[in-house]
Amino acid sequence: MNAPSTAPASEVIVVGGGLIGLACAAAIADRGITVMLVGEHLAGEASPASAGLLAPSIATGSGVARDFAIAGRERFPSFVEMLERETGLAVPLWRDGILELAMDGRSASRMQANGGGTWLARAALMAEEPAITEAAGAMLYEHDGATDSTALANALRARIRQLDRVREIGALVTHIAVGDRTPAVETSTGQRIEADRIVLAAGAWVAGLAGLPRPIPVEPVRGQMLALGTTPVRHPTFGPSGYIVPRIGESTHVGATSERVGFDPRTTAEGLDHLMRAARLISPVFGRVSVLRSWAGLRPMTPDLLPIIGADPEAPELIYACGHSRNGVLLCAVTGDAVADLISGTSVSHDLTPFAVSRFGARV
């Protein structure tokens, strides 16, 4: 068998071409470090399937983890401004708040006790959103919002192409070599690529890479979504069994199922029926509109729903940037910043302790 060919060396290899990998590669290159971005687009990638929610106020953990999620949201305005300035591509950013509905008095009392936003009683909610007629009230998280994940990915790819310090290889990484050997990756095309550091940002596929120093508990969880041909609600809104994200004047995205079906990116009649019922619970208007399209993505889920970010304790040349679960869009820019800090030796501006890979146990 022929030996793998060797690609020109870079200082850092980033494995994965989704939003996390792109953000890491761009941030590292901006520190003056050469990067080889290696990845292949696969069916079911989470980045293009995402609804683009920026919602740290809802189910993003507590303490330091929640602080990191909020930092991810607050990083977005300057992040998309930079992308538009450098590439000329606009990335829509909506920051008018997100609603979380309470459908009865019990859930209303619980939400008010938890706080975190501005409580809207039924009358105030209907004044804000007349199409939401069945809820007892809602919590408005004023600072949360949404972006367009497709526009974001396109702008990041354009930015990557502008950076002389980044080279790209469109290939699937199959093997990682760290430890006593020169850090390297091997691809499905037979190339071996060496570098001083490797950043692992391979999304839902990360656990299947050979040669990792420890098992990585990231699994694909399918999220089906659909687009409806109306926008009767202005705010992204979480209901009891799903959420909606309006694209004003275009459509409303409805999400999302949560299914452990392996690497199957197909939609199903059962999943889409669930989404239609979830939308109708938010507003009966959605029961009278057409479905424009449907799709699914594979979220890279960890057991605690928190990402894995930071160096491997036994192989520090390997840096994890994976397992972002439902929050890859929210955390892409701040993850890129943190990884670039680690690689450049800059003081890391965020506490990454909750995201250490060691929280899942010992190496292989």
Side-chain angles (χ1 to χ4, degrees), residues 101-112 119 134-138 240:
L101 302 185
M103 305 307 292
D104 54 36
R106 183 175 181 180
S107 56
S109 297
R110 175 180 53 80
M111 282 187 193
Q112 291 178 77
W119 173 251
E134 305 300 318

Side-chain angles (χ1 to χ4, degrees), residues 170-258:
L172 184 66
V173 172
T174 58
H175 190 277
I176 304 286
V178 291
D180 297 332
R181 295 166 290 179
T182 300
V185 303
E186 294 179 8
T187 75
S188 57
T189 58
Q191 282 187 300
R192 177 182 173 86
I193 309 166
E194 298 181 349
D196 299 323
R197 306 277 191 93
I198 298 172
V199 176
L200 202 53
W205 289 264
V206 66
L209 293 173
L212 294 175
R214 64 182 67 240
I216 306 300
V218 172
E219 65 171 324
V221 174
R222 183 172 68 190
Q224 297 185 53
M225 296 191 66
L226 55 79
L228 299 176
T230 187
T231 55
V233 177
R234 294 184 301 107
H235 293 81
T237 302
F238 282 77
S241 56
Y243 59 81
I244 61 168
V245 182
R247 299 285 190 258
I248 301 300
E250 300 176 7
S251 62
T252 297
H253 292 186
V254 185
T257 62
S258 186

Side-chain angles (χ1 to χ4, degrees), residues 84-175:
E84 182 169 1
R85 182 178 66 250
E86 298 296 333
T87 69
L89 298 177
V91 180
L93 180 62
W94 300 280
R95 290 288 301 272
D96 294 331
I98 286 179
L99 292 170
E100 183 178 15
L101 302 185
M103 305 307 292
D104 54 36
R106 183 175 181 180
S107 56
S109 297
R110 175 180 53 80
M111 282 187 193
Q112 291 178 77
N114 291 339
T118 298
W119 173 251
L120 302 180
R122 180 180 172 82
L125 173 61
M126 291 189 66
E128 188 74 24
E129 293 286 6
I132 299 178
T133 58
E134 305 300 318
M139 191 66 75
L140 172 63
Y141 304 105
E142 294 99 331
H143 303 294
D144 289 0
T147 188
D148 184 319
S149 60
T150 300
L152 177 63
N154 289 340
L156 268 169
R157 291 190 189 100
R159 177 61 179 152
I160 288 293
R161 290 192 292 269
Q162 291 177 329
L163 294 168
D164 292 338
R165 294 187 180 90
V166 181
R167 289 175 291 170
E168 296 181 76
I169 292 180
L172 184 66
V173 172
T174 58
H175 190 277

Side-chain angles (χ1 to χ4, degrees), residues 47-71:
S47 293
S50 172
L53 285 165
L54 306 175
S57 303
I58 299 177
T60 51
S62 59
V64 171
R66 183 179 176 83
D67 292 342
F68 191 70
I70 292 171

